[in-house]
Amino acid sequence: MAINKHHTPMLDQLESGPWPSFISGIKRLRDEHPEERINKMTNDLLGQLEHSYETRKGYWKGGTVSVFQYGGGIIPRFSEVGHAFPESKEFHTLRVQPPAGNHYSTDMLRQMADSWEKYGSGLVTFHGQTGNIMFIGTDTEQTQHFFDEINDYGWDLGGAGPCVRTAMSCVGAARCEMSCTNEQKAHRLLVNNFTDDVHRPALPYKFKFKVSGCGNDCQNAVERADFAVIGTWRDDMNVNQDEFKAYVGRKGRQHVIDNIITRCPTNALSLNDDDSLEVNNKDCVRCMHCLNVVPKALHPGDDRGVTILIGGKRTLKIGDLMGTVVVPFKKLDTEEDWEEIVELAEEIIDFWAENALEHERCGEMIERIGLVNFLEGVGVEVDPNMVNNPRESSYIRMDGWDEEAVKWFDRQAEAS
Amino acid sequence: MADMRDPIETGCPDPFQYMHPMMRRNFGLWAYHEDPRPGVLLHVAKNGDKLWTIKAGTQRILDLFTLRTLCQIADDYSDGFIRFTIRSNPEFFVTEESRVEPLIEKLEEAGFIVGGTKNSVTTLSHTQGWLHCDIPGTDASGVVKSMMDELIDEFKVSEMPNRVHITTSCCQINCGGQGDIAINVQHTKPPKINHDLVANVCERPTVVARCPVAAIRPAMVNGKPSLEVDEKKCICCGACFPPCPPMQINDAEHTKLAIWVGGNHSNARGKPTFQKLVAAGIPNNPPRWPEATAIVKRILAEYKAGARDWERVGEWIERIGWPRFFELVELPFTKYHIDNWRGARKSLNASAHIRF
């Protein structure tokens, strides 16, 4: 049956130009897909989108849709102009958790495509800003059917609403020589420990885990995760002097001085007269710059672990916050180590759930109560790695100084 | 409900079952990488195994035809495996150098753009916009399509001083990220309140609590319980709109775009940084947003011409100074550039350091 195609003069202008066009893709679903349901649904979607382009307004409203026994994982969308575009008047997105590191076989992608074709609009994104596979566009009834089908072959919903959200991790050890930890294990252990908190939103607000295998932080964990895990090392970095000298030979000493030696943020590098590299590892902050420039010669050390930063988030409500160091270094070798990082996450989420205001991110709570109160709440000792510099204000009552100093020396003695 | 199926709460799946066998085999055993050409990475394992990764740009909002095309290319050229980067670029894998060029040709023939590695302008990351968001001030996919049409040449080569991450966001408060350049919605007028609906739709104490500047208070309007906004205090951020849709913040004329620069998530050289405001009042002009794109291109041109190798946009500006930056990109410096939010004093110049 022929459908009445909406006139879309504005969207049509997004079909020209060399970059692939999402409008052309949606039109193919409208014009060429064998399923009439998909033709009609995408036709009305285009109609509503054109209406948005004309009026510069959005016309989707949220609501309450989930699947049996879950409270979240779906982004419900009901059209405010559904009378004009009835075939897409319900257009919910399912957030589905990707495998850690975003690896797919084509067999699996095709199986998901087949299921989505049966129940959805035929639009999908790998991945949304939180890291979910976004299956965009289905109605309330089909939401359950689609979920049942993909859940049977191994896929589960991610988070939406005030809950633990879908986590993210970099490609890491699977394909990167700078990987300092098992990113995928950290990702899955952490988020899968909180499956109940992912599916049943009952926290003050969202809580995100992100894992990057080194300080390059390809997952934007420090900026965007409530719980950021960043790979690092604490022994000397590995230097292959032969490779480094070969690099100097190829590029010249001036290039090496301008691009490596003088770019070290803590002046920890020196170029020797024989073109080898001298590293003052005590001053090195593991920023990754020199390793990035000469990945063939410079690598992380062998005593690897992670730094954990807490409290990163975007603007709402008090402004953007970076995560800040709560654990400067944590080994992740033994099963006990891995249990400890999960326990720390549990402590933090419990304390935050108990003490945060409604709609307050973990970093905002820390901003409100102060880092020291937070650390005491979750049982972590203070450490000079947690600050850029000690306090500059004298407005603080310090009559507990002697006891605190003893604690420091006791901890030092214990550690040595 | 008796016939409802219980969910299987498996959470995040194990990736090893979907991972290219060479990555599985060399997990944690990679030695180094090289960049043989734009869009291609070569990783060499400690045992000498070589894996070429070919990266492509797509429209991100994928129709199933396009997804199946990607699958077909992966089956024919990439052993049946695909990975997606954080910026939604699919990556294909080959284990023999001779198979790199045919894969690139096939991807380009199918309309995908090979590039986005190393010091290129990689794919803009984007949010949902008018296509699917409930609070969008603008579209996202359309802005990205329009800009990538103009920036595509810089995606296909690696000629920038360092990598450039551009992000967009269709509201002021939520899900867009930090970028070397960010194009974000900036509202310029307080919300327009439909007082007939507030009492029934909004949980009023929640809305009052959501305002960052305490500008909202409960009020009786026309004999009905509603909310009112102190428009002198209101910063027009739109935070009240999600919990209270009758407080419409989006406006065809007064919702504008702003451009921010210098966000950087990496720890390389300096610590991670947030983006800083450079331009606002830019018209939200579908379907192609030419005014915003023109400013982005100007910033990129000056960055490309003036930055040293490895300097990200923010580092380049730190070195040349903000006065010079505003001069170079021919943008006005206004009172709005001077921060007055909490912690603002840290952004003021408390020194005699002035460039002449």
Side-chain angles (χ1 to χ4, degrees):
Chain A
M1 189 192 87
I3 54 172
N4 270 334
K5 290 179 192 173
H6 295 289
H7 189 48
T8 55
M10 291 186 90
L11 299 183
D12 296 350
Q13 293 179 55
L14 289 171
E15 291 196 274
S16 57
W19 194 259
S21 167
F22 70 108
I23 295 298
S24 301
I26 301 175
K27 282 190 180 176
R28 277 185 79 190
L29 291 172
R30 180 192 67 183
D31 299 339
E32 294 172 32
H33 199 278
E35 279 276 342
E36 194 185 340
R37 182 184 54 78
I38 287 181
N39 307 143
K40 288 177 165 176
M41 199 175 197
T42 47
N43 182 44
D44 274 3
L45 175 73
L46 286 166
Q48 177 170 330
L49 189 58
E50 176 75 15
H51 184 54
S52 279
Y53 269 61
E54 283 165 359
T55 57
R56 301 183 183 184
K57 283 253 181 79
Y59 294 97
W60 297 111
K61 281 292 151 259
T64 311
V65 176
S66 191
V67 296
F68 181 55
Q69 290 194 359
Y70 285 3
I74 313 294
I75 311 295
R77 289 293 175 255
F78 298 91
S79 177
E80 288 182 316
V81 287
H83 55 280
F85 310 105
E87 302 294 334
S88 59
K89 69 176 196 273
E90 291 183 14
F91 207 73
H92 317 317
T93 282
L94 288 97
R95 286 185 172 171
V96 173
Q97 293 197 52
N102 299 338
H103 301 268
Y104 297 93
S105 66
T106 51
D107 287 347
M108 184 41 77
L109 286 173
R110 285 201 168 95
Q111 195 174 351
M112 287 195 280
D114 292 346
S115 298
W116 187 231
E117 207 147 48
K118 265 193 257 174
Y119 303 111
S121 71
L123 290 176
V124 61
T125 291
F126 295 88
H127 303 87
Q129 290 276 331
T130 299
N132 295 284
I133 314 170
M134 309 284 275
F135 289 96
I136 308 169
T138 190
D139 65 23
T140 306
E141 193 192 332
Q142 303 301 336
T143 296
Q144 182 72 52
H145 297 320
F146 176 69
F147 170 70
D148 285 343
E149 188 162 314
I150 64 167
N151 187 230
D152 267 340
Y153 57 81
W155 300 87
D156 199 0
L157 294 187
C163 62
V164 171
R165 295 293 184 89
T166 295
M168 289 170 76
S169 54
C170 63
V171 68
R175 199 204 53 200
C176 184
E177 68 274 16
M178 303 305 179
S179 160
C180 292
T181 187
N182 185 336
E183 298 81 4
Q184 318 195 346
K185 184 168 180 178
H187 171 163
R188 294 186 68 233
L189 265 186
L190 286 166
V191 79
N192 286 349
N193 185 64
F194 298 96
T195 305
D196 187 41
D197 285 311
V198 172
H199 295 143
R200 294 166 193 86
L203 294 172
Y205 196 17
K206 61 181 92 166
F207 193 95
K208 296 186 176 186
F209 292 102
K210 294 188 198 292
V211 184
S212 288
C214 76
N216 284 321
D217 193 4
C218 292
Q219 299 302 295
N220 306 355
V222 175
E223 282 173 349
R224 300 187 70 172
D226 300 272
F227 193 109
V229 180
I230 309 285
T232 189
W233 67 96
R234 62 181 172 184
D235 57 344
D236 293 355
M237 65 187 255
N238 282 306
V239 182
N240 181 330
Q241 295 290 6
D242 290 340
E243 285 291 351
F244 192 81
K245 287 182 191 175
Y247 182 83
V248 180
R250 249 188 349 266
K251 294 285 193 173
R253 292 178 65 87
Q254 185 181 1
H255 170 95
V256 171
I257 291 165
D258 286 350
N259 287 284
I260 302 174
I261 308 299
T262 59
R263 307 299 275 279
C264 173
T266 53
N267 298 318
L269 300 178
S270 179
L271 180 62
N272 292 321
D273 287 340
D274 68 351
D275 287 354
S276 65
L277 181 72
E278 193 169 305
V279 184
N280 180 343
N281 282 284
K282 283 282 174 213
D283 290 348
C284 168
V285 288
R286 281 65 176 160
C287 87
M288 297 302 294
H289 171 72
C290 60
L291 287 78
N292 293 341
V293 181
V294 203
K296 213 168 177 177
L298 307 179
H299 293 104
D302 300 318
D303 187 8
R304 298 177 184 187
V306 297
T307 299
I308 300 169
L309 298 92
I310 303 296
K313 58 170 282 292
R314 278 235 61 202
T315 313
L316 187 68
K317 168 182 172 180
I318 70 167
D320 292 18
L321 299 179
M322 297 276 182
T324 66
V325 172
V326 164
V327 179
F329 187 81
K330 169 104 193 74
K331 286 296 277 182
L332 287 179
D333 288 348
T334 65
E335 282 315 303
E336 220 171 46
D337 295 335
W338 288 103
E339 276 165 31
E340 282 167 7
I341 193 175
V342 172
E343 279 165 18
L344 176 71
E346 285 175 348
E347 281 287 336
I348 288 173
I349 289 179
D350 284 353
F351 180 83
W352 168 66
E354 195 101 324
N355 291 284
L357 306 174
E358 192 248 338
H359 220 262
E360 187 177 51
R361 290 286 285 271
C362 191
E364 292 175 310
M365 175 195 71
I366 295 170
E367 175 83 1
R368 178 169 54 82
I369 68 176
L371 182 65
V372 169
N373 283 324
F374 172 74
L375 295 173
E376 287 175 354
V378 299
V380 174
E381 302 292 351
V382 298
D383 186 292
N385 286 301
M386 294 172 180
V387 297
N388 283 330
N389 50 266
R391 79 163 48 243
E392 294 172 339
S393 161
S394 68
Y395 287 170
I396 172 83
R397 180 171 165 170
M398 289 197 264
D399 48 1
W401 178 272
D402 290 344
E403 292 87 338
E404 291 302 315
V406 168
K407 280 191 208 165
W408 165 263
F409 287 116
D410 287 350
R411 281 206 305 280
Q412 295 295 101
E414 205 179 312
S416 60
Chain B
M1 298 295 272
D3 58 344
M4 294 295 276
R5 170 191 169 282
D6 285 339
I8 309 164
E9 302 201 37
T10 43
C12 170
D14 185 343
F16 287 95
Q17 57 190 321
Y18 307 124
M19 193 185 288
H20 190 283
M22 187 176 276
M23 286 198 263
R24 226 180 298 155
R25 199 158 63 229
N26 291 294
F27 191 84
L29 298 171
W30 294 96
Y32 66 91
H33 82 275
E34 290 176 349
D35 302 273
R37 56 153 279 178
V40 179
L41 304 169
L42 165 61
H43 286 86
V44 181
K46 289 177 179 164
N47 66 2
D49 276 359
K50 289 183 172 179
L51 183 72
W52 283 264
T53 298
I54 292 84
K55 192 186 284 195
T58 73
Q59 58 270 54
R60 185 172 180 264
I61 304 287
L62 301 177
D63 58 283
L64 289 180
F65 291 107
T66 302
L67 181 64
R68 289 206 170 94
T69 303
L70 292 171
C71 287
Q72 194 56 52
I73 294 173
D75 282 348
D76 293 344
Y77 295 86
S78 174
D79 305 325
F81 294 92
I82 298 180
R83 198 187 86 83
F84 289 90
T85 70
I86 188 174
R87 304 181 85 79
S88 299
N89 296 316
E91 291 181 334
F92 299 83
F93 310 103
V94 305
T95 52
E96 287 159 41
E97 191 171 9
S98 61
R99 292 168 63 200
V100 173
E101 283 305 321
L103 171 53
I104 291 173
E105 273 167 36
K106 183 69 201 175
L107 281 165
E108 288 177 344
E109 185 192 304
F112 302 110
I113 317 297
V114 173
T117 56
K118 224 185 160 190
N119 44 331
S120 62
V121 176
T122 187
T123 308
L124 273 65
S125 71
H126 72 78
T127 51
Q128 292 288 48
W130 288 329
L131 184 75
H132 203 258
C133 183
D134 60 335
I135 57 167
T138 187
D139 196 28
S141 322
V143 178
V144 171
K145 158 70 178 155
S146 309
M147 286 202 180
M148 286 313 294
D149 276 342
E150 300 271 322
L151 303 177
I152 186 168
D153 291 341
E154 295 295 349
F155 180 86
K156 294 202 276 194
V157 297
S158 303
E159 293 175 359
M160 284 287 161
N162 200 343
R163 66 198 61 217
V164 179
H165 289 164
I166 306 182
T167 73
T168 65
S169 185
C170 25
C171 72
Q172 263 179 255
I173 52 175
N174 257 324
C175 72
Q178 294 284 328
D180 293 287
I181 303 177
I183 302 98
N184 294 354
V185 153
Q186 185 83 22
H187 304 294
T188 60
K189 296 287 181 206
K192 289 200 189 88
I193 307 174
N194 183 339
H195 292 288
D196 293 336
L197 299 179
V198 169
N200 287 332
V201 177
C202 316
E203 199 184 318
R204 292 189 303 154
T206 301
V207 184
V208 169
R210 198 67 56 88
C211 178
V213 293
I216 303 173
R217 56 190 171 230
M220 293 294 284
V221 181
N222 303 328
K224 287 183 187 160
S226 187
L227 294 164
E228 64 184 13
V229 172
D230 180 340
E231 298 202 350
K232 285 204 186 88
K233 273 182 161 177
C234 178
I235 49 172
C236 313
C237 69
C240 51
F241 182 47
C244 190
M247 299 180 77
Q248 177 60 260
I249 189 72
N250 294 307
D251 183 278
E253 184 190 346
H254 300 297
T255 292
K256 306 282 191 186
L257 299 179
I259 292 181
W260 307 67
V261 303
N264 175 13
H265 56 77
S266 169
N267 289 266
R269 301 169 302 284
K271 295 180 180 182
T273 50
F274 285 135
Q275 57 216 13
K276 285 100 183 154
L277 176 71
V278 294
I282 304 161
N284 178 23
N285 195 4
R288 281 204 164 259
W289 294 270
E291 300 85 356
T293 304
I295 296 175
V296 168
K297 285 179 79 173
R298 225 148 73 206
I299 295 169
L300 282 173
E302 293 301 333
Y303 166 65
K304 188 176 182 179
R308 294 178 184 160
D309 285 354
W310 298 100
E311 276 179 340
R312 296 282 288 260
V313 172
E315 294 171 281
W316 162 63
I317 301 171
E318 279 294 304
R319 177 169 57 79
I320 67 168
W322 287 98
R324 181 87 183 117
F325 169 80
F326 281 99
E327 209 176 287
L328 284 171
V329 297
E330 296 176 355
L331 290 167
F333 183 82
T334 69
K335 66 178 183 180
Y336 300 111
H337 288 98
I338 298 179
D339 202 351
N340 59 358
W341 193 245
R342 60 175 77 185
R345 277 197 78 81
K346 296 253 182 215
S347 70
L348 304 181
N349 182 7
S351 76
H353 291 201
I354 308 283
R355 293 171 180 81
F356 296 101

